[in-house]
Amino acid sequence: MHTVRIAAVQMVSVTRPEENLQTMRRLVSEAAARGAAWVLLPEYWPLMGIKDTDKIAFAEPLGNGVFQTALSEAARQNGIVLFGGTIPLQIPDKSKVFNTMQVYDRNGECIGAYNKMHLFGYSGLGESYAEADTIAAGSNAPELSADGIRLAAGICYDIRFPEFFRAQLPFDVLLLPAAFTYTTGQAHWELLLRARAVENQCYVIAAAQGGLHESGRRTFGHSMIIDPWGEVLDVLPEGEGMVMAELEAARLQSVRNRLPALKHRCM
């Protein structure tokens, strides 16, 4: 791994995709102007609907649509590698969507994609979520890299499944777009992210939704970048903006050389 500067964008997405598109373009351009070579967007950045079914109407066929075009253009125009948060993609019968993260290179070409596998379900404290009602689960773990750096990726709820990331080893950087609820985020968000960083001795980059949405849903925010020792390098508690940090090859190797836990694995 070599050193790379990365930004994780935090949004408070609204119900109108055209506004979210403008916000995405503006924040990606700002990140690039501040020296980011890679930019990660949050889950559901194009739309946080009033109802969970709203995203089905905006789902795009793979390779075509305003969200994918905007991501490609943002990567190309800013000369960055863009990890596209998630967008809704059509499944064959159009009854549900794939919740998909795509990766675009500096030429605006899509170089990888991942359909979220673990689908969130929760009920309590007046909240209820069942992603499986509107999202079709992906069937394959990510196989991603950028600039010769080995990557792992997950989306939001995936972070609760450590074996999912262990199956992606070896990697140096773990990417996680998310829209954690305030309730679960307050309890577990930082704990889970730091645990994944420590156990895999990797950088963790998490881009979140962070605020009160028009549907009344409140997301936890706290987009953050964590180093391989579990130290939080930057965090944005709430609201629109970004976190940034240098991912340093020397820091990664220092942690792995001093405590070679990955080499000591028995299973």
Side-chain angles (χ1 to χ4, degrees):
M1 173 178 161
H2 51 83
T3 299
V4 60
R5 185 165 178 80
I6 188 166
V9 167
Q10 185 161 290
M11 291 175 60
V12 187
S13 293
V14 299
T15 59
R16 295 166 297 283
E18 61 276 9
E19 293 184 26
N20 297 322
L21 282 161
Q22 292 176 2
T23 300
M24 181 277 288
R25 293 186 183 103
R26 173 172 51 80
L27 291 172
V28 169
S29 294
E30 181 182 335
R34 293 173 59 185
W38 294 1
V39 179
L40 173 65
L41 296 173
E43 185 180 28
Y44 297 141
W45 68 263
L47 177 72
M48 289 288 283
I50 297 296
K51 305 184 301 296
D52 287 343
T53 52
D54 289 353
K55 57 183 170 285
I56 297 174
F58 292 96
E60 299 181 346
L62 179 63
N64 183 40
V66 294
F67 302 146
Q68 293 166 89
T69 298
L71 291 170
S72 173
E73 290 176 348
R76 178 176 52 81
Q77 291 170 359
N78 291 286
I80 58 164
V81 176
L82 182 59
F83 301 92
T86 71
I87 63 171
L89 292 185
Q90 291 176 355
I91 66 171
D93 69 4
K94 300 183 181 179
S95 62
K96 299 182 181 182
V97 303
F98 285 127
N99 190 23
T100 304
M101 179 173 75
Q102 296 177 315
V103 184
Y104 290 84
D105 69 13
R106 293 176 180 85
N107 296 316
E109 297 294 325
C110 184
I111 58 172
Y114 163 61
N115 299 324
K116 185 177 184 179
M117 293 179 66
H118 297 100
L119 303 182
F120 180 56
Y122 174 80
S123 60
L125 300 176
E127 296 177 287
S128 180
Y129 302 97
E131 285 189 328
D133 290 348
T134 55
I135 296 174
S139 57
N140 297 303
E143 295 183 8
L144 302 176
S145 65
D147 294 338
I149 297 174
R150 303 168 300 182
L151 306 175
I155 296 169
C156 201
Y157 191 48
D158 285 332
I159 199 66
R160 292 185 181 272
F161 302 90
E163 69 279 6
F164 174 73
F165 298 101
R166 280 291 167 101
Q168 298 180 54
L169 283 170
F171 58 84
D172 298 331
V173 180
L174 189 161
L175 300 152
L176 191 91
F180 250 61
T181 71
Y182 187 84
T183 301
T184 60
Q186 190 175 39
H188 301 142
W189 171 251
E190 183 175 335
L191 173 69
L192 290 166
L193 292 173
R194 293 180 71 188
R196 299 295 85 83
V198 169
E199 70 196 11
N200 295 300
Q201 298 185 313
C202 67
Y203 283 97
V204 170
I205 320 301
Q209 294 281 346
L212 184 63
H213 301 270
E214 291 169 321
S215 65
R217 176 176 176 176
R218 186 179 179 189
T219 47
F220 186 61
H222 290 78
S223 295
M224 61 180 67
I225 300 175
I226 303 166
D227 85 355
W229 195 245
E231 294 183 6
V232 177
L233 302 179
D234 197 7
V235 61
L236 177 60
E238 198 167 39
E240 179 186 292
M242 68 191 69
V243 292
M244 301 188 73
E246 300 280 347
L247 311 187
E248 298 178 349
R251 175 61 168 166
L252 184 78
Q253 290 307 314
S254 174
V255 169
R256 292 179 175 179
N257 290 338
R258 286 185 288 119
L259 179 61
L262 294 176
K263 294 180 181 179
H264 294 160
R265 292 170 61 217
C266 299
M267 298 176 66

